[in-house]
């Protein structure tokens, strides 16, 4: 698999809007919007001593094709999914960038805080699906405060910069019997993983994802078994011989009998057929090559045989008839 190959990493969220602003990566385009969200990570029974569970700054970028900016305001509860990536640098804090494929708001009046919040769904962990390449392993399953985890590298296409973007994600495996017989992942293994975000790693500031499902993908190093080369054309199944009845000669039998006959250069031509005239049907002569028995019985002539057309009786032409009638008179 080429290193520059990109696959989408998908993120599903539902949370409240903190701030609404134009998309800074598309200046001058009023319909390109950006939502700032503090992605809530609800406290669950999934913990590892190298992960901190806190709100994650998230930027949701979308195209407001309906041109209804009043639909999205602070404290509005939204549902969104799309391709995502993470960025982190010295001068900028870690955050998620979500390029929304769809964005919907929860109905109701968000200004009526008590009533609106009461009818909003409960907090849920954000769900991610992505393809990653294994870089390193850490922790231990069912032993110690640090969960078994693998650091993965993901490459996606950044629509804002129109370039490839590579970022790490750390996948954790929950303690228990589910992953007890799961084989260890080797370095450079390609996996397709689905899981839930439950925090950020303390050391490298990466997304910490608890694994729900994982699939192995073939790589360029794993070649398919070679197909043995054929020395000739593939033998065609003779379906006619299988369908032939007891009294019907099969096609294969007729072919084998014909191939057994001796063929000489002299008789390779097709049989000669002389078409009759309208008034002379008896003059028609059809000649066929001699059979194998006839060739064996009669000795081969030392001299070349006469032309076959010399054996044909001469026809009486119309001029001969007129000349004969002249002398008769």
């Amino acid at each position: 698999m080429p290193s520059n190959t990109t696959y989408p990493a998908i993120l599903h969220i539902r949370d409240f809007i903190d701030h609404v602003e134009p998309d800074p990566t598309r200046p001058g385009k009023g319909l390109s919007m950006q939502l700032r969200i503090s992605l809530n990570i609800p406290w669950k029974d999934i913990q590892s001593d190298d992960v901190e569970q806190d709100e994650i700054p998230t930027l949701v970028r979308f195209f407001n094709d309906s041109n209804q900016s009043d639909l999205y305001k602070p404290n509005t509860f939204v549902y969104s999914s799309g391709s995502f990536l993470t960025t982190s640098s010295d001068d900028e804090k870690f955050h998620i960038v979500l390029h929304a494929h769809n964005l919907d708001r929860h109905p109701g009046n968000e200004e009526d805080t008590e009533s609106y919040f009461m009818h909003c769904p409960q907090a849920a962990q954000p769900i991610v699906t992505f393809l990653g390449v294994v870089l390193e392993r850490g922790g231990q399953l069912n032993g110690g405060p640090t969960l078994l985890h693998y650091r993965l590298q993901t490459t996606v296409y950044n629509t804002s910069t129109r370039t490839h973007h590579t970022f790490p994600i750390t996948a954790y495996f929950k303690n228990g019997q589910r992953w007890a017989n799961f084989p260890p992942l080797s370095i450079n293994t390609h996996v397709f993983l689905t899981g839930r975000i439950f925090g950020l790693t303390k050391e490298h500031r990466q997304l910490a994802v608890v694994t729900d499902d994982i699939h192995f993908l073939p790589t360029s190093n794993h070649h398919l078994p070679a197909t043995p080369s054929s020395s000739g054309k593939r033998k065609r199944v003779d379906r006619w011989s299988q369908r032939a009845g007891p009294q019907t000669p099969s096609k294969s039998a007729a072919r084998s009998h014909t191939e057994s006959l001796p063929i000489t250069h002299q008789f390779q031509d097709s049989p000669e057929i002389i078409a009759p005239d309208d008034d002379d049907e008896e003059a028609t002569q059809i000649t066929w090559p001699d059979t194998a028995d006839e060739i064996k019985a009669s000795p081969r002539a030392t001299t070349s045989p006469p032309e076959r057309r010399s054996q044909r009786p001469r026809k009486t032409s119309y001029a001969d008839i007129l000349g004969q009638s002249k002398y008769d008179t």
Side-chain angles (χ1 to χ4, degrees):
M1 183 178 298
S3 58
N4 60 350
T5 302
T6 61
Y7 290 86
I10 304 300
L11 170 64
H12 300 262
I13 66 172
R14 60 183 194 185
D15 215 315
F16 291 94
I17 297 176
D18 293 334
H19 184 67
V20 182
E21 60 189 7
D23 186 355
T25 62
R26 293 179 172 87
K29 297 182 180 180
L31 298 180
S32 297
M33 306 294 296
Q34 176 176 276
L35 306 179
R36 291 185 179 270
I37 295 176
S38 298
L39 196 61
N40 180 43
I41 305 299
W43 191 265
K44 298 291 184 179
D45 58 344
I46 306 170
Q47 296 182 9
S48 184
D49 64 347
D50 61 337
V51 176
E52 59 180 11
Q53 296 176 313
D54 198 0
E55 294 181 346
I56 303 175
T58 303
L59 303 177
V60 179
R61 294 170 180 169
F62 70 102
F63 185 77
N64 188 13
D65 53 356
S66 60
N67 196 17
Q68 297 179 356
S69 300
D70 55 342
L71 292 178
Y72 306 102
K73 299 178 180 180
N75 295 327
T76 301
F77 193 86
V78 292
Y79 309 84
S80 182
S81 65
S83 58
F84 81 97
L85 54 89
T86 66
T87 61
S88 179
S89 60
D90 297 337
D91 56 348
E92 190 176 5
K93 294 183 179 180
F94 177 91
H95 63 271
I96 300 174
V97 179
L98 172 62
H99 298 279
H101 298 164
N102 56 73
L103 180 66
D104 299 311
R105 70 184 301 275
H106 189 74
N109 183 10
E110 65 277 356
E111 296 180 358
D112 187 1
T113 307
E114 183 178 357
S115 176
Y116 187 76
F117 288 179
M118 181 179 63
H119 292 91
C120 287
Q122 296 180 353
Q125 288 179 297
I127 300 175
V128 295
T129 302
F130 65 95
L131 184 146
V133 182
V134 178
L135 299 180
E136 62 181 10
R137 174 183 175 177
Q140 186 177 358
L141 183 68
N142 298 327
T146 305
L147 296 179
L148 171 65
H149 61 273
Y150 294 91
R151 188 164 65 91
L152 308 174
Q153 177 177 283
T154 302
T155 302
V156 299
Y157 178 74
N158 188 352
T159 59
S160 298
T161 60
R162 298 182 180 180
T163 57
H164 298 163
H165 182 82
T166 301
F167 61 98
I169 298 179
T170 304
Y172 289 79
F173 291 79
K174 187 178 179 180
N175 289 330
Q177 295 299 321
R178 178 181 180 184
W179 305 106
N181 297 325
F182 186 75
L185 300 180
S186 303
I187 305 301
N188 295 327
T189 300
H190 292 68
V191 294
F192 192 75
L193 189 142
T194 300
R196 294 164 289 151
I197 299 176
F198 76 106
L200 295 175
T201 60
K202 297 178 181 179
E203 183 178 357
H204 302 291
R205 306 302 292 174
Q206 303 171 6
L207 280 182
V209 176
V210 58
T211 304
D212 289 332
D213 199 4
I214 186 171
H215 299 275
F216 295 93
L217 295 182
T219 61
S220 58
N221 296 329
H222 297 164
H223 298 286
L224 295 177
T227 304
S229 59
S230 177
S231 58
K233 294 184 178 180
R234 185 179 63 179
K235 185 177 181 181
R236 185 178 179 181
V237 179
D238 190 359
R239 299 184 179 89
W240 290 103
S241 61
Q242 298 175 1
R243 294 172 179 267
Q247 298 179 355
T248 304
S250 63
K251 190 175 182 180
S252 58
R255 185 185 296 111
S256 61
H257 177 71
T258 304
E259 294 176 354
S260 62
L261 293 178
I263 299 177
T264 60
H265 181 73
Q266 180 181 357
F267 301 105
Q268 289 180 355
D269 298 335
S270 60
E272 182 179 358
I273 301 177
I274 302 176
D277 297 334
D278 295 338
D279 56 349
D280 189 13
E281 296 182 357
E282 295 181 357
T284 303
Q285 296 182 4
I286 302 176
T287 60
W288 296 89
D290 296 336
T291 62
D293 298 336
E294 293 174 350
I295 294 175
K296 187 181 298 185
S298 60
R300 183 180 297 274
T302 57
T303 59
S304 60
E307 296 183 357
R308 295 183 180 277
R309 291 186 178 274
S310 61
Q311 299 177 3
R312 180 181 178 183
R314 184 176 180 276
K315 298 181 181 180
T316 304
S317 64
Y318 182 72
D320 295 338
I321 296 176
L322 293 179
Q324 184 178 2
S325 61
K326 179 177 178 181
Y327 288 109
D328 293 341
T329 56

